[in-house]
Amino acid sequence: MKPFTYALAEAPGDAVHQAERGARFLGGGTNLVDLMRLGVETPDLLVDVTRLDLDRIEPAGEGGLLIGAGVRNSDLAADPRVRRDYPVLSQALLSGASGQLRNQATAGGNLLQRTRCVYFQDVTKPCNKRRPGSGCPARTGAHRDLAILGASEHCVATHPSDFAVALAALDARLHVKSPTGDRRVPVTELYRAPGEDPSRDTVLEPTDLITGIELPAPGEVTRTSLYRKARDRASYAFALVSVAAGLDRAPDGTVREVRVAIGSVAHKPWRARRAETALAGRPATPEEFRRAAGVELDAADPLPDNAFKVKLAENMIVEALTRLAAS
Ligand SMILES: Cc1cc2nc3c(=O)[nH]c(=O)nc-3n(C[C@H](O)[C@H](O)[C@H](O)COP(=O)(O)OP(=O)(O)OC[C@H]3O[C@@H](n4cnc5c(N)ncnc54)[C@H](O)[C@@H]3O)c2cc1C
Ligand code: SF4
């Protein structure tokens, strides 16, 4: 591992000031330190942000919740308000990694974890995300786990976070501090499409510190919600495809509000807005759910070894919404 300097930040302002010198923020370290060991990440300075006063879950404006960026994944999944009002979020967190990792991983770090594409993690191989312009061996090599939506010829990586998929379905917003001020970033606008330059995963600058994640006030569509994840092993595995869904039905059984986000199919949590639009006001039936899933997945452009994800995603959307309609 390349030598680096370590600094403990005392306050968010202090952290972004130190990061101006060219650094990485250190949350739980469960992704960053692994990538440093592999030589993928080579920061000169690590700014430890775990002692900042960002480890609480508090009421936010208009009845929502503000999750501090330093809240550990286990604590967030177990919070009674999250379990009651946003079950999709608790289930997504509990489906990720292992108990030990969830005890260590932070909310902010989870969102900015990097792709699990095997070529990205192997510094002996070309990879446009790690070294722009070097090529994308995944297109002709190992791409079974990779993207079917929104990819480009330069990169077909997926974002691995389960948490981010649930947050995209909940219309959550990040609170971000930078050296020039504070701003809000919707999770659905956080991640970049790979386009010609996949080296930048998000719209954040290296000096931007996530201080919190704001959940809007709960409603029927967030309380009647769930997370489903298909993976190769029952635990301790990233998703092949995942679905975060919420459903609110009118008394006559039609769809009043629906949320669908799909994970592990794109460079970002894929908010299925076309499916949502196709379902508005329609009967909440499996036939309608399948029709809407088809509308969304018409845009899929899979590679030979991940074409199975198209049908898998369709089936998972139908299954998730059918369960919610029956609950
Ligand atoms: C074996 C294994 C299995 C896993 N399985 C899953 C899984 O199934 N699903 C899943 O979703 N995840 C999974 N993970 C990933 C795990 O969830 C992430 O490693 C973890 O959430 C990252 O959080 P962290 O706090 O440790 O981040 P760190 O490793 O500390 O940081 C990750 C990135 O975020 C940046 N960062 C950290 N905090 C902030 C902040 N406040 N503001 C701005 N930038 C920040 C860092 O600079 C770094 O770039 C797995 C990991 C392992 C090792
Ligand atoms: S898919 Fe993206 S991350 Fe993977 S090798 Fe290609 S450029 Fe690199």
Side-chain angles (χ1 to χ4, degrees), residues 115 117-120 126-130 135-139 146 154-157 198 267:
T115 184
C117 173
V118 292
Y119 303 104
F120 174 74
C127 167
N128 287 329
K129 185 178 276 300
R130 191 166 24 75
C136 175
R139 290 192 72 86
L146 302 184
H154 303 282
C155 182
V156 288
H267 220 231

Side-chain angles (χ1 to χ4, degrees), residues 126-272:
C127 167
N128 287 329
K129 185 178 276 300
R130 191 166 24 75
R131 201 152 29 91
S134 61
C136 175
R139 290 192 72 86
T140 51
H143 54 248
R144 175 177 176 268
D145 297 343
L146 302 184
I148 57 170
L149 287 161
S152 77
E153 62 179 286
H154 303 282
C155 182
V156 288
T158 51
H159 194 269
S161 167
D162 293 295
F163 180 45
V165 183
L167 290 178
L170 291 171
D171 282 333
R173 293 191 307 168
L174 302 186
H175 289 203
V176 176
K177 178 174 272 310
S178 76
T180 51
D182 297 347
R183 68 187 192 283
R184 307 277 192 269
V185 179
V187 170
T188 49
E189 292 169 26
L190 171 64
Y191 301 99
R192 291 178 69 252
E196 291 186 3
D197 177 12
S199 65
R200 282 188 61 197
D201 294 346
T202 72
V203 298
L204 301 186
E205 299 296 330
T207 46
D208 285 337
L209 176 73
I210 301 172
T211 57
I213 301 153
E214 187 179 333
L215 304 181
E220 196 52 39
V221 77
T222 70
R223 292 197 186 96
T224 308
S225 66
L226 56 69
Y227 192 73
R228 303 285 285 164
K229 176 171 172 175
R231 49 190 156 175
D232 285 329
R233 292 186 304 274
S235 70
Y236 212 46
F238 289 91
L240 288 168
V241 173
S242 66
V243 172
L247 183 67
D248 178 19
R249 281 176 305 159
D252 67 357
T254 57
V255 174
R256 184 150 51 196
E257 191 178 2
V258 62
R259 307 276 183 85
V260 180
I262 326 173
S264 290
V265 293
H267 220 231
K268 57 180 177 179
W270 189 267
R271 181 72 183 265

